Amino acid sequence: MKLELKDLTKRYGELVALDGFTLTFEPGIYGILGANGAGKSTLMNLITDNIKRDGGSITFDGRDILEMGDEFRAVLGYMPQQQGIYDRMTAESFVSYIARLKGLRGKEMREQVDGVLKLTNLESVRHKAVGQFSGGMKQRALLAQALLGDPKVLILDEPTAGLDPRERVRIRGFISELAKDRIVLLATHIVTDIESIADKVILMKKGRLIDVDTPANLIAAIPESWKPVAYNLSLEDVYMYFLGD
Ligand SMILES: Nc1ncnc2c1ncn2[C@@H]1O[C@H](COP(=O)(O)OP(=O)(O)OP(=O)(O)O)[C@@H](O)[C@H]1O
Ligand SMILES: [Mg+2]
């Protein structure tokens, strides 16, 4: 399984939000690090076909995702960055609504909805309005809909934003379990969230791909001269070294 991005470009007027992004994804967890406005969500919105690209290509196992259309959407799960859009729906009706958008119907739909609500531990609150959920429960509801249909490509835009450490560690563990035989892209500002679970880390700055490598290799790439003394470097230092001003 391969998701290939070639020279992917997105502009908003004068601003180049994504600038010739080229990378091939294979099964595993890819953590995306970059400052506010680096282009993380833009990249994800292009892969999920929520916005139109200005240049480049995206292929899944050699076929253009735009030509695949519904066939690609069937293997895709997307957890958007934004919360609050579906606050008036119950957890169950929200997840069912997305299931219908994904083309699931009848018994299969009910089984899928039950399955993802169970997986994300929302079964007992399935009839409660999402607007009354805590931040962590809302994130889990967003994650639940992303898991419908057992997607091969899972795009998670800041899945742990606003969560307390306990919820964060739970969701992190959960994501790492999901990763087998899947391409998982995870954007975050919480560097520790990907340090332990990402196979590869993507560094982005001003719409450009700066580097992509394992956390250990990126840490090793920081020059000796930059290293503060008597201190073990972490992925946060990678962020400071490669993405700082
Ligand atoms: N609809 C839009 N219209 C104009 N500019 C936009 C639009 N969406 C994004 N941008 C700009 O594109 C750039 C990249 O934005 P993007 O949302 O991809 O960043 P990000 O890395 O996800 O940031 P954050 O960490 O804050 O979520 C930013 O400069 C942003 O202002
Ligand atoms: Mg974003």
Side-chain angles (χ1 to χ4, degrees):
M1 186 169 49
K2 258 187 199 167
L3 182 70
E4 267 184 288
L5 276 48
K6 273 194 198 141
D7 218 15
L8 200 59
T9 299
K10 176 68 188 178
R11 292 186 203 94
Y12 290 107
E14 295 284 286
L15 180 95
V16 187
L18 200 69
D19 193 359
F21 192 100
T22 299
L23 187 63
T24 299
F25 295 93
E26 287 178 348
I29 302 183
Y30 293 79
I32 308 180
L33 292 181
N36 292 126
K40 305 179 297 293
S41 296
T42 301
L43 176 69
M44 294 182 152
N45 279 318
L46 287 167
I47 297 170
T48 53
D49 190 28
N50 286 314
I51 56 172
K52 296 285 158 247
R53 59 182 98 138
D54 291 303
S57 65
I58 307 175
T59 58
F60 182 66
D61 286 341
R63 296 168 64 203
D64 191 291
I65 64 158
L66 298 181
E67 278 163 28
M68 287 177 74
D70 283 346
E71 233 184 301
F72 182 64
R73 274 183 283 280
V75 298
L76 185 71
Y78 173 47
M79 177 174 175
Q81 183 169 5
Q82 212 181 353
Q83 279 195 0
I85 326 163
Y86 304 106
D87 276 359
R88 293 172 69 180
M89 291 185 177
T90 66
E92 183 184 285
S93 53
F94 165 60
V95 175
S96 304
Y97 167 70
I98 306 288
R100 277 191 292 275
L101 289 184
K102 282 190 153 184
L104 296 164
R105 295 288 182 273
K107 186 164 173 267
E108 195 198 354
M109 183 188 95
R110 286 193 300 276
E111 281 173 5
Q112 285 276 337
V113 169
D114 287 349
V116 298
L117 287 173
K118 194 178 238 170
L119 222 57
T120 52
N121 218 357
L122 289 173
E123 246 186 337
S124 59
V125 289
R126 61 193 291 161
H127 299 302
K128 212 170 157 177
V130 174
Q132 294 167 21
F133 280 7
S134 72
M137 288 157 78
K138 281 186 188 174
Q139 291 294 84
R140 276 189 271 137
L142 281 177
L143 189 57
Q145 62 75 30
L147 297 175
L148 287 163
D150 197 21
K152 289 284 166 205
V153 179
L154 197 53
I155 311 281
L156 309 172
D157 202 349
E158 305 201 18
T160 59
L163 301 189
D164 67 36
R166 188 194 170 124
E167 278 282 348
R168 242 176 41 217
V169 169
R170 269 184 52 150
I171 292 213
R172 186 204 297 167
F174 185 66
I175 293 168
S176 97
E177 274 173 35
L178 285 173
K180 293 181 195 75
D181 280 330
R182 256 184 255 268
I183 294 169
V184 181
L185 260 73
L186 193 167
T188 186
H189 288 290
I190 302 150
V191 183
T192 48
D193 270 1
I194 55 169
E195 185 143 35
S196 55
I197 64 165
D199 298 297
K200 295 265 178 77
V201 174
I202 294 167
L203 302 177
M204 286 182 74
K205 192 173 186 175
K206 294 180 180 158
R208 294 217 175 118
L209 175 68
I210 300 293
D211 206 347
V212 52
D213 213 327
T214 62
N217 283 347
L218 288 172
I219 291 169
I222 300 175
E224 225 23 74
S225 57
W226 188 85
K227 289 180 187 177
V229 280
Y231 163 123
N232 284 329
L233 294 184
S234 70
L235 205 54
E236 272 178 342
D237 297 292
V238 167
Y239 188 102
M240 294 309 290
Y241 178 74
F242 288 98
L243 304 176
D245 294 319

